[in-house]
Amino acid sequence: MKITLLGTGDAPGTPVIGCTCPTCTDAQNGGRSKRTRFSILVESEKGKVLVDTGPDLRSQLLGNGVRHIDGVIWTHTHYDHFAGFAEFHRVQYNVDVYGIKETLDYILEYLHYMHPRRHEVKMYTPFLLIGLEFTLFEVVHPPAKRPVGVIIKEGQKKVVITGDTQRNISARSLELIVNPDILIADAIVPPTVEVKKHMNSEEALDLAIEIRAKKVVFTHLSHYFAPHEIASRELPLGFDGMEINI
């Protein structure tokens, strides 16, 4: 299994329009602080699946040489996690899309003209795709309705993607996500910045410790962190194009 972090930014991305902070300046100059919106590519010997389709998907797929995908899993209904699906227009028709009913209802009302093949998935119920086992688990990301994280298994290997979430994940979800080989965690800001709908970096590290993750990588990052080369000396920040082989 191979995981590629196509986009590691929060909703506005980095650089933020009109901002000249050190991190946005680094991004403008081509540093790893440049972060497009959230999307993850999951690959096996049998195919390719996207977890979320952020607004920058076209450039992400072109930049990573992705010509075809075999499915999309959506974690929740926020624009920065699904709007890029429209970039498949005239490229790929009838894409298989997966998610819970509420998420698919909302997104496909907007993207109905794409004629995707809809697959409703129940929370906590595993399903197979490209030879891998996927499970959606409940997280907390108000005001999104029933947001989910994603567990991916291949044999004894296990990857957990939190999706967008607060730290107070339910006991049922925590029990399910324990002992991952890698945790890809929402960590939108450092603890010096107040945030309500996401985990900060301190909370994300605490979650990694609680579930005994062998490795943790932060994503959904804002420009409130120091430039990447500085912040990554102390924090496990992901970056656009980062590849992880499991």
mmCIF file of all heavy atoms in Angstrom, residues 159-181:
data_model
loop_
_atom_site.group_PDB
_atom_site.id
_atom_site.type_symbol
_atom_site.label_atom_id
_atom_site.label_comp_id
_atom_site.label_asym_id
_atom_site.label_seq_id
_atom_site.Cartn_x
_atom_site.Cartn_y
_atom_site.Cartn_z
ATOM 1 N N VAL A 159 -3.641 1.828 8.458
ATOM 2 C CA VAL A 159 -3.501 3.279 8.339
ATOM 3 C C VAL A 159 -4.774 3.928 8.849
ATOM 4 O O VAL A 159 -5.884 3.479 8.525
ATOM 5 C CB VAL A 159 -3.249 3.698 6.873
ATOM 6 C CG1 VAL A 159 -3.224 5.216 6.740
ATOM 7 C CG2 VAL A 159 -1.963 3.089 6.346
ATOM 8 N N VAL A 160 -4.630 4.985 9.637
ATOM 9 C CA VAL A 160 -5.789 5.747 10.118
ATOM 10 C C VAL A 160 -5.668 7.186 9.632
ATOM 11 O O VAL A 160 -4.638 7.833 9.840
ATOM 12 C CB VAL A 160 -5.884 5.719 11.658
ATOM 13 C CG1 VAL A 160 -6.976 6.678 12.148
ATOM 14 C CG2 VAL A 160 -6.171 4.300 12.146
ATOM 15 N N ILE A 161 -6.723 7.665 8.982
ATOM 16 C CA ILE A 161 -6.839 9.062 8.565
ATOM 17 C C ILE A 161 -7.964 9.669 9.385
ATOM 18 O O ILE A 161 -9.110 9.232 9.277
ATOM 19 C CB ILE A 161 -7.152 9.164 7.059
ATOM 20 C CG1 ILE A 161 -6.074 8.447 6.231
ATOM 21 C CG2 ILE A 161 -7.292 10.624 6.634
ATOM 22 C CD1 ILE A 161 -6.444 8.276 4.763
ATOM 23 N N THR A 162 -7.647 10.660 10.206
ATOM 24 C CA THR A 162 -8.692 11.176 11.101
ATOM 25 C C THR A 162 -9.763 11.960 10.362
ATOM 26 O O THR A 162 -10.888 12.079 10.856
ATOM 27 C CB THR A 162 -8.114 12.116 12.174
ATOM 28 O OG1 THR A 162 -7.584 13.295 11.548
ATOM 29 C CG2 THR A 162 -7.046 11.427 12.996
ATOM 30 N N GLY A 163 -9.448 12.501 9.172
ATOM 31 C CA GLY A 163 -10.345 13.502 8.611
ATOM 32 C C GLY A 163 -10.318 14.728 9.509
ATOM 33 O O GLY A 163 -9.494 14.850 10.425
ATOM 34 N N ASP A 164 -11.221 15.656 9.277
ATOM 35 C CA ASP A 164 -11.311 16.854 10.121
ATOM 36 C C ASP A 164 -12.036 16.496 11.417
ATOM 37 O O ASP A 164 -13.165 15.984 11.375
ATOM 38 C CB ASP A 164 -12.091 17.951 9.391
ATOM 39 C CG ASP A 164 -11.296 18.563 8.253
ATOM 40 O OD1 ASP A 164 -10.223 18.054 7.923
ATOM 41 O OD2 ASP A 164 -11.781 19.572 7.678
ATOM 42 N N THR A 165 -11.412 16.791 12.540
ATOM 43 C CA THR A 165 -12.040 16.404 13.799
ATOM 44 C C THR A 165 -11.512 17.200 14.986
ATOM 45 O O THR A 165 -10.385 17.699 14.964
ATOM 46 C CB THR A 165 -11.820 14.904 14.084
ATOM 47 O OG1 THR A 165 -12.572 14.519 15.254
ATOM 48 C CG2 THR A 165 -10.354 14.580 14.322
ATOM 49 N N GLN A 166 -12.323 17.279 16.018
ATOM 50 C CA GLN A 166 -11.882 17.719 17.326
ATOM 51 C C GLN A 166 -11.217 16.541 18.040
ATOM 52 O O GLN A 166 -11.263 15.401 17.566
ATOM 53 C CB GLN A 166 -13.071 18.233 18.143
ATOM 54 C CG GLN A 166 -13.739 19.467 17.571
ATOM 55 C CD GLN A 166 -15.000 19.853 18.350
ATOM 56 O OE1 GLN A 166 -15.601 19.043 19.045
ATOM 57 N NE2 GLN A 166 -15.409 21.108 18.211
ATOM 58 N N ARG A 167 -10.631 16.795 19.171
ATOM 59 C CA ARG A 167 -9.927 15.751 19.920
ATOM 60 C C ARG A 167 -10.880 14.754 20.571
ATOM 61 O O ARG A 167 -10.517 13.588 20.782
ATOM 62 C CB ARG A 167 -9.047 16.410 20.988
ATOM 63 C CG ARG A 167 -8.308 15.439 21.911
ATOM 64 C CD ARG A 167 -7.323 14.567 21.155
ATOM 65 N NE ARG A 167 -6.640 13.644 22.048
ATOM 66 C CZ ARG A 167 -7.123 12.452 22.403
ATOM 67 N NH1 ARG A 167 -8.301 12.035 21.930
ATOM 68 N NH2 ARG A 167 -6.430 11.660 23.217
ATOM 69 N N ASN A 168 -12.103 15.160 20.874
ATOM 70 C CA ASN A 168 -13.017 14.321 21.666
ATOM 71 C C ASN A 168 -13.718 13.265 20.813
ATOM 72 O O ASN A 168 -14.943 13.193 20.728
ATOM 73 C CB ASN A 168 -14.059 15.187 22.386
ATOM 74 C CG ASN A 168 -14.827 16.108 21.453
ATOM 75 O OD1 ASN A 168 -14.297 16.567 20.440
ATOM 76 N ND2 ASN A 168 -16.071 16.406 21.799
ATOM 77 N N ILE A 169 -12.927 12.402 20.182
ATOM 78 C CA ILE A 169 -13.449 11.288 19.396
ATOM 79 C C ILE A 169 -14.063 10.260 20.344
ATOM 80 O O ILE A 169 -13.568 10.031 21.443
ATOM 81 C CB ILE A 169 -12.316 10.674 18.550
ATOM 82 C CG1 ILE A 169 -11.770 11.723 17.571
ATOM 83 C CG2 ILE A 169 -12.788 9.443 17.798
ATOM 84 C CD1 ILE A 169 -10.517 11.280 16.845
ATOM 85 N N SER A 170 -15.132 9.621 19.904
ATOM 86 C CA SER A 170 -15.871 8.705 20.772
ATOM 87 C C SER A 170 -15.036 7.485 21.146
ATOM 88 O O SER A 170 -14.093 7.091 20.448
ATOM 89 C CB SER A 170 -17.149 8.234 20.077
ATOM 90 O OG SER A 170 -16.832 7.341 19.011
ATOM 91 N N ALA A 171 -15.418 6.861 22.245
ATOM 92 C CA ALA A 171 -14.723 5.661 22.718
ATOM 93 C C ALA A 171 -14.806 4.543 21.684
ATOM 94 O O ALA A 171 -13.842 3.780 21.500
ATOM 95 C CB ALA A 171 -15.321 5.205 24.043
ATOM 96 N N ARG A 172 -15.945 4.431 21.021
ATOM 97 C CA ARG A 172 -16.096 3.385 20.003
ATOM 98 C C ARG A 172 -15.085 3.572 18.872
ATOM 99 O O ARG A 172 -14.461 2.620 18.418
ATOM 100 C CB ARG A 172 -17.519 3.392 19.449
ATOM 101 C CG ARG A 172 -17.775 2.285 18.429
ATOM 102 C CD ARG A 172 -19.216 2.274 17.959
ATOM 103 N NE ARG A 172 -19.445 1.182 17.020
ATOM 104 C CZ ARG A 172 -20.591 0.947 16.400
ATOM 105 N NH1 ARG A 172 -21.650 1.733 16.647
ATOM 106 N NH2 ARG A 172 -20.735 -0.064 15.549
ATOM 107 N N SER A 173 -14.912 4.818 18.430
ATOM 108 C CA SER A 173 -13.947 5.092 17.373
ATOM 109 C C SER A 173 -12.520 4.871 17.854
ATOM 110 O O SER A 173 -11.687 4.289 17.147
ATOM 111 C CB SER A 173 -14.115 6.524 16.859
ATOM 112 O OG SER A 173 -15.328 6.672 16.148
ATOM 113 N N LEU A 174 -12.217 5.333 19.067
ATOM 114 C CA LEU A 174 -10.866 5.165 19.600
ATOM 115 C C LEU A 174 -10.479 3.692 19.695
ATOM 116 O O LEU A 174 -9.342 3.315 19.404
ATOM 117 C CB LEU A 174 -10.764 5.821 20.976
ATOM 118 C CG LEU A 174 -10.790 7.347 21.000
ATOM 119 C CD1 LEU A 174 -10.864 7.849 22.434
ATOM 120 C CD2 LEU A 174 -9.562 7.929 20.291
ATOM 121 N N GLU A 175 -11.417 2.871 20.084
ATOM 122 C CA GLU A 175 -11.152 1.438 20.191
ATOM 123 C C GLU A 175 -10.816 0.844 18.827
ATOM 124 O O GLU A 175 -9.961 -0.036 18.708
ATOM 125 C CB GLU A 175 -12.371 0.727 20.783
ATOM 126 C CG GLU A 175 -12.176 -0.765 20.996
ATOM 127 C CD GLU A 175 -13.384 -1.420 21.634
ATOM 128 O OE1 GLU A 175 -14.330 -0.698 22.009
ATOM 129 O OE2 GLU A 175 -13.375 -2.658 21.744
ATOM 130 N N LEU A 176 -11.457 1.368 17.792
ATOM 131 C CA LEU A 176 -11.276 0.833 16.443
ATOM 132 C C LEU A 176 -9.960 1.272 15.809
ATOM 133 O O LEU A 176 -9.366 0.536 15.021
ATOM 134 C CB LEU A 176 -12.453 1.273 15.564
ATOM 135 C CG LEU A 176 -12.693 0.510 14.273
ATOM 136 C CD1 LEU A 176 -13.053 -0.948 14.568
ATOM 137 C CD2 LEU A 176 -13.806 1.172 13.466
ATOM 138 N N ILE A 177 -9.488 2.471 16.145
ATOM 139 C CA ILE A 177 -8.315 3.022 15.461
ATOM 140 C C ILE A 177 -7.005 2.770 16.205
ATOM 141 O O ILE A 177 -5.956 3.257 15.806
ATOM 142 C CB ILE A 177 -8.477 4.530 15.200
ATOM 143 C CG1 ILE A 177 -8.510 5.337 16.506
ATOM 144 C CG2 ILE A 177 -9.717 4.798 14.369
ATOM 145 C CD1 ILE A 177 -8.571 6.856 16.295
ATOM 146 N N VAL A 178 -7.045 1.978 17.257
ATOM 147 C CA VAL A 178 -5.854 1.754 18.072
ATOM 148 C C VAL A 178 -4.781 0.981 17.295
ATOM 149 O O VAL A 178 -5.077 0.206 16.390
ATOM 150 C CB VAL A 178 -6.243 1.004 19.373
ATOM 151 C CG1 VAL A 178 -6.567 -0.465 19.102
ATOM 152 C CG2 VAL A 178 -5.176 1.145 20.427
ATOM 153 N N ASN A 179 -3.522 1.247 17.630
ATOM 154 C CA ASN A 179 -2.352 0.537 17.098
ATOM 155 C C ASN A 179 -2.175 0.650 15.582
ATOM 156 O O ASN A 179 -1.862 -0.350 14.913
ATOM 157 C CB ASN A 179 -2.389 -0.947 17.491
ATOM 158 C CG ASN A 179 -2.228 -1.167 18.968
ATOM 159 O OD1 ASN A 179 -1.449 -0.473 19.632
ATOM 160 N ND2 ASN A 179 -2.972 -2.119 19.517
ATOM 161 N N PRO A 180 -2.305 1.821 14.991
ATOM 162 C CA PRO A 180 -2.052 1.920 13.550
ATOM 163 C C PRO A 180 -0.559 1.984 13.243
ATOM 164 O O PRO A 180 0.243 2.441 14.062
ATOM 165 C CB PRO A 180 -2.725 3.242 13.175
ATOM 166 C CG PRO A 180 -2.558 4.084 14.403
ATOM 167 C CD PRO A 180 -2.690 3.122 15.572
ATOM 168 N N ASP A 181 -0.197 1.535 12.053
ATOM 169 C CA ASP A 181 1.183 1.707 11.600
ATOM 170 C C ASP A 181 1.460 3.178 11.329
ATOM 171 O O ASP A 181 2.581 3.648 11.542
ATOM 172 C CB ASP A 181 1.428 0.878 10.339
ATOM 173 C CG ASP A 181 1.400 -0.607 10.645
ATOM 174 O OD1 ASP A 181 2.434 -1.127 11.087
ATOM 175 O OD2 ASP A 181 0.334 -1.234 10.486
#
